[in-house]
Amino acid sequence: MLYSFALFCAISGFSPAAQNTDYTAQLTKLADAAQRSQGHKQRNQYRNPAETLQFFGLTPNMSVLEIWPGHGWYTEILAPFVKDQGKLTLAQFRHNDGSLKDDRSIFWARVSQKLAERIAEQADYFGDVAMIELDPPLLLPLQDEQFDMVLTFRNSHIWNEDGNLFGTLQSIFQALKPGGTLGMVEHRAARLSDISSSAVDGYLDESYIIQAAQMAGFELVASSEINANSADMKNYPKGVYALPPTLAMGQYNKAEYVAIGESDRMTLKFVKPKE
């Protein structure tokens, strides 16, 4: 007997919108791709990329902005995932036109250039990746409702230290389409009470970052413990940088810090309201 597609859906409970909504297996495969270094793949156990991106609701047809990709740890997964149906744009560190003076900015400008060169050299893998810059608090050139999703991994504490957290969140809000998603992963400070926390170098209070995002216009729709680490005591002499992958204490207590693993992290999903 022949059924119309609509009748088949009604009888079977089949929903076209529900098709292919779980991309965890595809993302896991990309996280283990041969194009990724062993060092990058070893961090999958701490950063849980497939589960994190699935939680944010990433789909292959999205226009995605990744903020400050650094050495391309997430870019290696995002770019091939969206290259056929969607579009990846990287908000790189500010280009060094000779005016950069501090060592940190110069270093990250060099890292951004190397990533751009690698993407161009491996275009078959990465696809056509667009490049803009984030010079906090501004995205350059300015972006106006361009993206379905903006992703930022462990960057917010830097913007906060420089006094640019709120302004940068406002720029991200403007860059998102109405209904678009901001996915954020950040080092989480120790919570002492409902109104206080202990935030050594590199950590941010979860309530604080949520309130900052809400002030910028975002709505928090979900949070996850995917990237939590209860072994992280958050009381180290060099803060979060004592832990892998930085290991800023050198050989001092290195085995202890390696055993702890990467930091305890909040994983937050915000949306830009449609109206």
Side-chain angles (χ1 to χ4, degrees):
M1 182 179 295
L2 296 177
Y3 291 92
S4 71
F5 183 70
L7 180 59
F8 168 75
C9 292
I11 293 174
S12 66
F14 176 87
S15 170
Q19 273 191 302
N20 301 322
T21 56
D22 190 341
Y23 296 98
T24 305
Q26 184 178 346
L27 291 164
T28 298
K29 184 177 180 180
L30 289 170
D32 291 325
Q35 288 82 356
R36 308 190 76 212
S37 69
Q38 283 303 117
H40 277 198
K41 289 192 279 190
Q42 287 171 0
R43 294 176 192 162
N44 289 345
Q45 62 181 310
Y46 304 116
R47 299 184 177 182
N48 307 294
E51 295 81 2
T52 298
L53 295 173
Q54 181 67 36
F55 170 73
F56 289 146
L58 179 70
T59 59
N61 61 344
M62 283 183 169
S63 174
V64 180
L65 177 67
E66 182 188 3
I67 303 286
W68 280 358
H71 296 280
W73 196 93
Y74 258 100
T75 311
E76 295 168 342
I77 301 169
L78 292 167
F81 184 73
V82 302
K83 71 176 183 179
D84 293 330
Q85 302 177 52
K87 179 71 174 180
L88 178 64
T89 300
L90 302 181
Q92 294 271 46
F93 290 87
R94 180 182 162 193
H95 173 71
N96 189 2
D97 58 2
S99 64
L100 297 181
K101 302 302 181 185
D102 64 287
D103 290 340
R104 185 173 75 172
S105 296
I106 293 171
F107 171 80
W108 284 113
R110 190 179 303 119
V111 169
S112 292
Q113 181 62 33
K114 287 183 178 179
L115 178 60
E117 291 170 356
R118 182 185 169 204
I119 289 171
E121 291 168 358
Q122 300 179 25
D124 288 346
Y125 179 76
F126 287 99
D128 182 18
V129 178
M131 307 277 178
I132 61 174
E133 295 182 1
L134 171 64
D135 189 16
L138 298 178
L139 290 164
L140 303 172
L142 299 177
Q143 306 295 303
D144 186 16
E145 299 187 347
Q146 295 293 309
F147 303 103
D148 300 302
M149 179 174 286
V150 176
L151 298 170
T152 174
F153 303 99
R154 306 171 310 282
N155 297 314
S156 302
H157 64 283
I158 301 173
W159 307 333
N160 189 60
E161 290 167 4
D162 294 340
N164 289 312
L165 176 61
F166 181 65
T168 304
L169 289 171
Q170 286 181 306
S171 294
I172 292 172
F173 185 86
Q174 185 61 33
L176 272 169
K177 298 174 184 177
T181 297
L182 166 61
M184 179 186 294
V185 177
E186 184 53 75
H187 310 293
R188 178 166 48 193
R191 192 72 175 158
L192 303 180
S193 71
D194 289 341
I195 59 172
S196 65
S197 63
S198 174
V200 296
D201 197 13
Y203 293 92
L204 270 184
D205 179 75
E206 186 166 346
S207 295
Y208 171 77
I209 192 69
I210 290 172
Q211 290 178 35
Q214 290 171 333
M215 288 178 61
F218 288 102
E219 294 179 359
L220 178 69
V221 293
S223 62
S224 173
E225 293 302 297
I226 295 170
N227 297 300
N229 181 0
S230 60
D232 180 7
M233 295 294 101
K234 312 172 187 183
N235 58 356
Y236 320 114
K238 292 187 179 291
V240 73
Y241 305 108
L243 298 177
T246 307
L247 294 171
M249 300 294 290
Q251 293 302 312
Y252 178 77
N253 283 350
K254 181 178 179 179
E256 175 187 341
Y257 295 135
V258 169
I260 292 169
E262 296 194 18
S263 66
D264 176 48
R265 292 164 184 166
M266 62 184 101
T267 303
L268 306 173
K269 180 178 180 179
F270 299 93
V271 297
K272 177 178 179 174
K274 291 185 177 180
E275 296 182 358

